[in-house]
Amino acid sequence: MNKDKTIFQSNDFNDICITQTASTILTLLGIAPSAKMAAPIEQVLQQYPRCDRVFLYNPDAIAMWIYEKYQYYFTEMEKEISLKLPMLSVIPPVTPVCFGSMYSGLTPAEHGIQKYEKPILKVPTVFDILPQAGKKAAIVSTEDDSISKIFLERNVDYYIYPTKEECNQKAMELIVQDAHDLIVLYNGDYDHQMHRHTPEGKKSLKALQENIATYLQLKSQIKEHWAAHQTSLVFAPDHGCHKVCGFLGNHGKNIPADMNIMHFYSFL
């Protein structure tokens, strides 16, 4: 196993923006995106133009530079993925702004969340368009986190719990039940630990490894219970992070460390 960590952060910004995720989800599910949404990601559609199930796993704050420096953590996961894409977050790279863009296909100025706040979005999102097209969606998130708040008042199923473990268990159950076309699962533990123990602290890296393990568990569950479906499973962080004050972590700046992330697609 290669444990060489001498990889330097790039000063360049990635090209594919997370605003393109919304129209990609809809196109995969055979639904026309809104004309206002950013275009879908061509690299995804070239490999897998259509499916009938999409599972978006959203671990918070995992930066591209963390992936590059600790790539050996991802070894087993990379054996299981079909496509990895360097992605660009939105400004400011903070959680409600980013997920607002990821699931609306709009810039922060267009969807209205432009700082760290959690109002209910009033613009169309995938959680509006899917039910209108006769599709079922589920959101699984910990309490008081952005995904549990900004997408409320939609015709989707909400599963909001106090702990990550309860969320992950519910997501596994939903896969077995096989009643949703789209499932979104949020885990905020890496972000939580990173703010308190730096992006490379022991507790932060433990959370990162747990996020990777969760993706692998989701894939195993999908392979067993969604064998009759064509599925896209996506590991999709919202933004990156950087070290501050010598012993803490943060994000929110227009710098590659905060803006550059990696998304991973498995096509099953």
Side-chain angles (χ1 to χ4, degrees):
M1 181 179 294
N2 178 19
K3 294 194 177 184
D4 180 14
K5 299 182 184 179
T6 58
I7 299 175
F8 296 95
Q9 297 178 37
S10 171
N11 290 320
D12 297 325
F13 289 94
N14 295 335
D15 295 322
I16 306 171
C17 186
I18 60 172
T19 54
Q20 297 181 250
T21 305
S23 58
T24 303
I25 294 169
L26 294 171
T27 303
L28 284 170
L29 290 170
I31 300 168
S34 163
K36 294 183 178 181
M37 288 181 168
I41 303 169
E42 288 299 324
Q43 293 91 326
V44 174
L45 302 183
Q46 287 168 3
Q47 286 210 23
Y48 210 76
R50 189 63 57 85
C51 60
D52 59 325
R53 292 286 184 273
V54 174
F55 195 114
L56 263 289
Y57 175 49
N58 293 134
D60 200 320
I62 298 175
M64 184 170 174
W65 71 268
I66 286 288
Y67 161 72
E68 292 174 334
K69 189 168 183 178
Y70 295 92
Q71 191 168 2
Y72 58 92
Y73 284 175
F74 292 80
T75 300
E76 291 304 312
M77 181 173 147
E78 291 204 69
K79 292 177 183 177
E80 300 290 329
I81 65 166
S82 308
L83 179 67
K84 61 181 181 180
L85 290 173
M87 301 289 293
L88 183 70
S89 192
V90 291
I91 302 169
V94 294
T95 303
V97 177
C98 296
F99 284 129
S101 286
M102 188 180 295
Y103 289 108
S104 72
L106 305 175
T107 65
E110 292 170 323
H111 65 65
I113 304 178
Q114 300 186 68
K115 60 183 179 180
Y116 194 89
E117 60 181 0
K118 304 173 188 177
I120 296 174
L121 277 176
K122 300 302 182 182
V123 298
T125 68
V126 296
F127 305 113
D128 300 282
I129 296 172
L130 283 173
Q132 292 167 4
K135 304 288 187 182
K136 290 192 67 176
I139 294 174
V140 189
S141 174
T142 35
E143 294 173 348
D144 201 41
D145 285 310
S146 299
I147 286 182
S148 72
K149 288 183 169 290
I150 67 173
F151 301 116
L152 291 174
E153 300 181 1
R154 269 80 181 176
N155 184 24
V156 303
D157 293 328
Y158 300 97
Y159 301 94
I160 311 301
Y161 298 99
T163 68
K164 176 193 78 171
E165 289 74 20
E166 290 170 286
C167 291
N168 292 352
Q169 180 59 40
K170 174 52 69 173
M172 299 296 175
E173 292 172 5
L174 293 178
I175 294 170
V176 175
Q177 293 168 11
D178 191 16
H180 296 90
D181 304 283
L182 170 68
I183 299 174
V184 171
L185 169 64
Y186 171 78
N187 279 178
D189 49 333
Y190 176 79
D191 180 78
H192 176 86
Q193 298 296 346
M194 173 276 300
H195 279 294
R196 292 156 179 80
H197 305 288
T198 81
E200 299 178 81
K202 289 182 179 179
K203 291 185 178 181
S204 304
L205 295 179
K206 181 176 183 291
L208 170 65
Q209 291 173 288
E210 289 176 358
N211 290 166
I212 293 168
T214 296
Y215 186 85
L216 292 171
Q217 291 163 7
L218 291 168
K219 182 167 186 181
S220 177
Q221 190 84 328
I222 287 171
K223 289 174 72 173
E224 180 178 356
H225 296 283
W226 286 1
H229 299 291
Q230 293 179 310
T231 300
S232 179
L233 169 64
V234 192
F235 183 103
D238 50 345
H239 55 72
C241 58
H242 64 273
K243 187 176 181 179
V244 293
C245 302
F247 58 92
L248 299 175
N250 207 353
H251 53 89
K253 293 186 176 182
N254 184 20
I255 57 175
D258 288 6
M259 294 291 290
N260 287 342
I261 49 181
M262 289 291 292
H263 284 190
F264 302 85
Y265 284 75
S266 294
F267 304 125
L268 308 171

